[in-house]
Amino acid sequence: MRIRTTVAAVSGAVVLSGLALPSAQAADSHKGHTKITKVVVNGGKDIVLGTSEKKITMTVTGTDPKGIKDGFVALWYGKKLDWSRLDGMLSPAKDPRCTKIDAKRATCKIVVVAHPRGLKNSTAGTWNVVAGLLGKGRAENHVIKEKYKTARVLRATKLTADASPEPANKGETVTVSGALTRANWESRKYAGYTGQSVKLQFKAAGASAYTTVKSVKSGVKGQLKATVKASVDGTFRYVFGGSASSPAVVSAGDFVDVR
């Protein structure tokens, strides 16, 4: 099977094992008793893309009285599924592998290689999932859903924390510096994530959990800075709760010995 759904190809059709929708603007299509029962994208987790390519596994499961012959899943971003006008597309690079469950059901596994090259930063967030299956009966028996579900494609984040001085005297001011950065898909570099709320947390030596000390906003280059009074030995870290376009991230902890 060859699924011609990439924007670059602009083939004017969604092809599913010889089954084609003749218009460049795809739409839901259904004939016969073929049904989609489940679609899973990236194991149900958000797709977090940094500055290099990443393989994403997607599956579509369905049923047909004669069995399932083929299937596909792709991700798209835009107002409508018009191949010539999409703002983003992540489509299969290889033919899927369909595994028979029983005489009527099968699961088709699709691998997509996502690369930030060609993606716009503005498309980070919620994408639509188009899915289709082809039954083994009459050649035209199929189902295609252009908005079967949604999945999030996010710009990866990084977070650091550095407490000083180390060691510190009891009652001395400890400064915890750091930076919140995220992937810029267009430049394929990490840059400061500005104006985001980040929590400074502390875990005393021997304690089992962190406690939030205060919240700070990231600066114009993503920089972070907070001050606290040294009281007991312990570890500081920063925590970012995520946004609509980037995932949550936790910095590594930095231990301060208080004397």
Side-chain angles (χ1 to χ4, degrees), residues 133-153:
L133 286 171
L134 182 67
K136 284 186 175 180
R138 300 179 63 184
E140 66 269 23
N141 286 350
H142 70 280
V143 58
I144 296 175
K145 295 288 187 180
E146 65 173 49
K147 291 183 179 181
Y148 184 83
K149 64 187 303 183
T150 59
R152 295 210 305 165
V153 183

Side-chain angles (χ1 to χ4, degrees), residues 1-3 15-19 33-36 60-72 95-110 132-143:
M1 181 188 84
R2 290 179 174 82
I3 306 167
V15 181
L16 180 60
S17 288
L19 173 68
H33 299 286
T34 311
K35 295 180 181 179
I36 297 173
V60 53
T61 301
T63 180
D64 184 277
K66 299 293 185 180
I68 297 298
K69 181 178 180 180
D70 230 331
F72 77 89
D95 293 349
R97 292 184 178 181
C98 295
T99 302
K100 183 178 177 181
I101 299 173
D102 54 37
K104 296 181 179 180
R105 299 179 298 157
T107 294
C108 297
K109 178 180 177 181
I110 296 95
L133 286 171
L134 182 67
K136 284 186 175 180
R138 300 179 63 184
E140 66 269 23
N141 286 350
H142 70 280
V143 58

Side-chain angles (χ1 to χ4, degrees), residues 13-242:
V14 181
V15 181
L16 180 60
S17 288
L19 173 68
L21 301 182
S23 170
Q25 181 177 328
D28 289 353
S29 180
H30 190 202
K31 188 168 184 178
H33 299 286
T34 311
K35 295 180 181 179
I36 297 173
T37 57
K38 188 177 183 180
V39 174
V40 179
V41 176
N42 195 40
K45 299 178 181 179
D46 291 338
I47 297 168
V48 179
L49 188 58
T51 56
S52 56
E53 70 177 30
K54 183 176 185 178
K55 287 186 178 181
I56 303 162
T57 299
M58 306 185 289
T59 60
V60 53
T61 301
T63 180
D64 184 277
K66 299 293 185 180
I68 297 298
K69 181 178 180 180
D70 230 331
F72 77 89
V73 182
L75 302 175
W76 62 277
Y77 188 98
K79 293 182 179 179
K80 58 183 179 181
L81 189 50
D82 183 337
W83 309 117
S84 63
R85 298 180 181 179
L86 288 179
D87 294 319
M89 167 64 75
L90 297 176
S91 59
K94 296 181 179 180
D95 293 349
R97 292 184 178 181
C98 295
T99 302
K100 183 178 177 181
I101 299 173
D102 54 37
K104 296 181 179 180
R105 299 179 298 157
T107 294
C108 297
K109 178 180 177 181
I110 296 95
V111 176
V112 170
V113 179
H115 198 290
R117 182 176 57 248
L119 290 181
K120 299 176 182 178
N121 290 327
S122 60
T123 64
T126 301
W127 286 47
N128 293 297
V129 179
V130 55
L133 286 171
L134 182 67
K136 284 186 175 180
R138 300 179 63 184
E140 66 269 23
N141 286 350
H142 70 280
V143 58
I144 296 175
K145 295 288 187 180
E146 65 173 49
K147 291 183 179 181
Y148 184 83
K149 64 187 303 183
T150 59
R152 295 210 305 165
V153 183
L154 306 178
R155 293 166 61 183
T157 49
K158 294 181 179 181
L159 187 57
T160 61
D162 181 27
S164 64
E166 298 178 59
N169 295 317
K170 189 171 184 178
E172 187 177 5
T173 296
V174 173
T175 299
V176 186
S177 302
L180 175 65
T181 58
R182 67 170 173 170
N184 184 316
W185 291 339
E186 295 167 22
S187 67
R188 293 188 291 285
K189 296 179 180 180
Y190 277 81
Y193 196 5
T194 305
Q196 301 302 304
S197 179
V198 179
K199 293 179 180 180
L200 174 64
Q201 295 187 334
F202 177 75
K203 183 174 71 172
S208 59
Y210 280 88
T211 300
T212 297
V213 176
K214 59 176 63 177
S215 294
V216 296
K217 290 280 187 179
S218 56
V220 293
K221 294 184 179 180
Q223 71 269 28
L224 301 166
K225 185 177 181 180
T227 58
V228 296
K229 293 294 184 180
S231 57
V232 296
D233 295 352
T235 303
F236 290 94
R237 72 179 186 182
Y238 277 118
V239 177
F240 173 57

